[in-house]
Structures are given as C-alpha cells and as structure tokens.
Amino acid sequence: MIRQATKYDAPKIIEMLWHYHDSGNIEGLDVPDESTAVKILTYILAGAGIAFVSEKNNELTGMLLAFKTPFMWDNSKFIMNEIAYWVEPEHRGSTAGYRLLSEYVKYCDELKEQGSITSYTMSQMNGQELNYSRFGFKPIETTWSN
C-alpha cells in the first residue's frame, strides 16, 4: 500500500534515510546526526512538499520525499523536487518502488493541473539503472559533486 506519510512515520523515515545514506550512494557526506533531516522532513510533512511511504503488513518498506521550491526565474511558480527515494533492500524486486513513483507522478500531475507547480523532478544516483522515462521523465542535467 502507498500512502502519504504522517508525523507518526517520521522515526521510521529517518531510519530509512540513514539506510539510504549508509548504502554508499552518498559520497563525501560526513553527517554527525539527523537534525537537518528531521527539520526538512518536518517542513515536508507540514506542507512544503510531499512524503509517500510504501507499507506491507503495517511495516514501512520504502519512501519518496519531495520538496517544493520556487522556480528560479519566477518566484511565483514552484517546482516539486524529489530529494530521497528508497526501498528497503529486502523489499526490492517487489512493486514498492514502482508504486511509490507512480503515486508521486499522479500527485504532481494533479498539482500541475491545479497550477500549484510548473514541473516536477526525479534524481538518480550514479550506478543506478532506473528508467524514469516510462513515467514521462526526460534527462535535463547531470549534477557533479566534488
């Protein structure tokens, strides 16, 4: 099942964010604690974005977090930016990741129709072989880190 996260999901989401961090996909980040992640998640849950979770047998199995930001060239317009997409390793190969992404696309398409956002994004870490084009995404840039 996919649903919007609530404040009661925050501890498990933070735990999954640590799994995401520790997976090795985030290079060069020495993170002493989760205080910033907790703050950002609080903003998202308060309406500054969206948090979806996948659930099986009342256990969270994955998450997709996105933050709504002003469009750089016109601050009256907004873009939804995915900032974390994770499915716990033991639940990969199920439909959790596909269903999380499908719900995100559906939600953002509704926001576009309402005029609340102009577009929405997905990111992909190096080494991943995810094909977002089947959801209508197209590559627009590559981000480099030093």
Side-chain angles (χ1 to χ4, degrees):
M1 175 174 113
I2 305 299
R3 63 176 174 78
Q4 285 191 29
T6 69
K7 65 181 180 181
Y8 302 107
D9 298 315
K12 179 62 179 175
I13 291 172
I14 295 299
E15 181 183 322
M16 285 191 286
L17 283 170
W18 276 114
H19 296 166
Y20 175 74
H21 174 274
D22 296 342
S23 71
N25 290 334
I26 302 175
E27 193 175 309
L29 291 181
D30 183 22
V31 181
D33 61 47
E34 67 251 8
S35 58
T36 298
V38 168
K39 200 177 293 185
I40 290 172
L41 181 58
T42 301
Y43 293 146
I44 288 171
L45 293 174
I50 188 66
F52 288 112
V53 292
S54 57
E55 193 174 44
K56 183 177 182 181
N57 300 327
N58 295 321
E59 178 90 21
L60 296 189
T61 62
M63 64 173 178
L64 191 152
L65 307 178
F67 209 67
K68 194 164 96 173
T69 59
F71 180 55
M72 186 168 150
W73 305 108
D74 181 347
N75 67 1
S76 70
K77 297 179 179 169
F78 293 88
I79 298 171
M80 189 72 76
N81 297 287
E82 171 267 328
I83 59 172
Y85 177 38
W86 177 259
V87 174
E88 295 285 32
E90 63 271 20
H91 295 283
R92 293 181 190 162
S94 70
T95 60
Y98 176 86
R99 290 180 296 122
L100 281 165
L101 190 50
S102 293
E103 193 65 27
Y104 174 64
V105 167
K106 179 180 156 193
Y107 179 80
C108 289
D109 281 345
E110 290 172 7
L111 291 180
K112 279 180 72 175
E113 275 184 33
Q114 297 167 6
S116 300
I117 63 171
T118 59
S119 62
Y120 53 98
T121 67
M122 282 296 298
S123 61
Q124 182 167 294
M125 294 295 211
N126 274 345
Q128 291 181 329
E129 298 289 332
L130 303 173
N131 182 4
Y132 297 138
S133 64
R134 64 183 168 161
F135 291 93
F137 292 98
K138 55 186 174 288
I140 58 169
E141 70 177 29
T142 299
T143 302
W144 298 72
S145 177
N146 187 342

